[in-house]
Amino acid sequence: MGGAVPMGYDVADKALVVIPDEATAIRTIFAEYLAAGSVRQLSARLDELGVVSKRRTNRHGRVSGGKAFSRGALYNMLRNPIYIGKTRHKEELHEGLHEAIIDDATWQLTQAQLADNGGKKISAARRSARRLLDGVLFDSRGRQMRTTYASKSLRQEGMTRTKRYWYYTTAVSGSDDKFRIERLPADEIDRVVLNGLREHLSDPRWLADQIKGHERDAILIADILRATDKWRADTEESDGHVTAKNLPSIIDRIDAQKDRLSVSVNIAEMVESDADHTPILAGFEIPFQKRQNGRAKPIVIAAKGAAQRDPDLIALVADARRWAGELLDGETSSIQQITEREGLRSGSVSRILPLAWLAPDISAAILEGRQPQHLNAKTLRNLRELPLDWIQQRQVLGFAQL
């Protein structure tokens, strides 16, 4: 069909013929992908095995290839039907005249795993993925972070829609970066940065301390205070929704450390004026925690010590109270009846039911999201015995330290 000859083949008499050594590498790539479970891990594994891309020599004798695979190249290779003896033309597959390298069973398993991992072929044009902090956000190793997203199909009310989860991720090229790539949820980081700016720009004393020592202090302070008042009013009208209007151009750089964001700003940029102002550089830190409520759920970024409601934990306590009410009122005759109705495993209701008698302050803390960081639905489900004494409950569940 024209184009570059894929790895694993050469051309003889206008037909594809298998190159044994490259065919072995192709089979290794498919097998290692099925074993690794992701293209990212596959890339690292191929580096260890020394499997590299096809070496090509052009008509001028210049040699290219023989390098580590990029993840994009691996995705294209794993989707290429050429390896099962077929060719694609205008989105349709046709039987080819060449020999297959991969068997149908391996191919089907690979396509299913790609689909499960979100590796389906993109049929629509990819839109720009720029976000508010692109160009100013850096990971803990000082590497610039860029925007990407993961897509997931959700079925609601009989309709299937695609939801995007936006992330800032370490921007690396190829597979030559040996350090761990870092990821941060974009919406949460944008919100935390906005709240941090609002807190500091609302503090006249902090602003005055940063401006002190610059020429025309009084005039600058007055101008900046007016600008920050207007900006603060605009952000309050947005009801917490972060937009380009919300985040001013004063941010120079943000370094995302393990437990904090280090923010560098130029306060002089707050003043809308044709005159050039001497930069007023300042900085502050925003403590934060990364929490992941439940398996395979989005990571939530919150200011350190901030309340963080856990829907699964709240639902567990609510279920316990509901079931206890049914048993006490005689609406349900037995725990077994609840177990069968809810479709739970034997013993699940018995373990959860004591949560109906949690101390009032513990229940209130869970409802408001003030529970200890380690306390989640899984912890409560696996709790062997919950004391009825409220003081002992606080000690067992970690509320005594709050």
Side-chain angles (χ1 to χ4, degrees), residues 141 162 301 304 372:
R141 298 181 182 275
T162 299
I301 299 288
K304 191 172 183 178

Side-chain angles (χ1 to χ4, degrees), residues 358-368 370 390 393-394 399:
L358 281 173
D361 58 324
I362 294 178
S363 298
I366 290 174
L367 183 61
E368 296 169 5
R370 295 185 288 104
W390 290 350
Q393 286 182 6
R394 297 185 187 102
F399 282 87

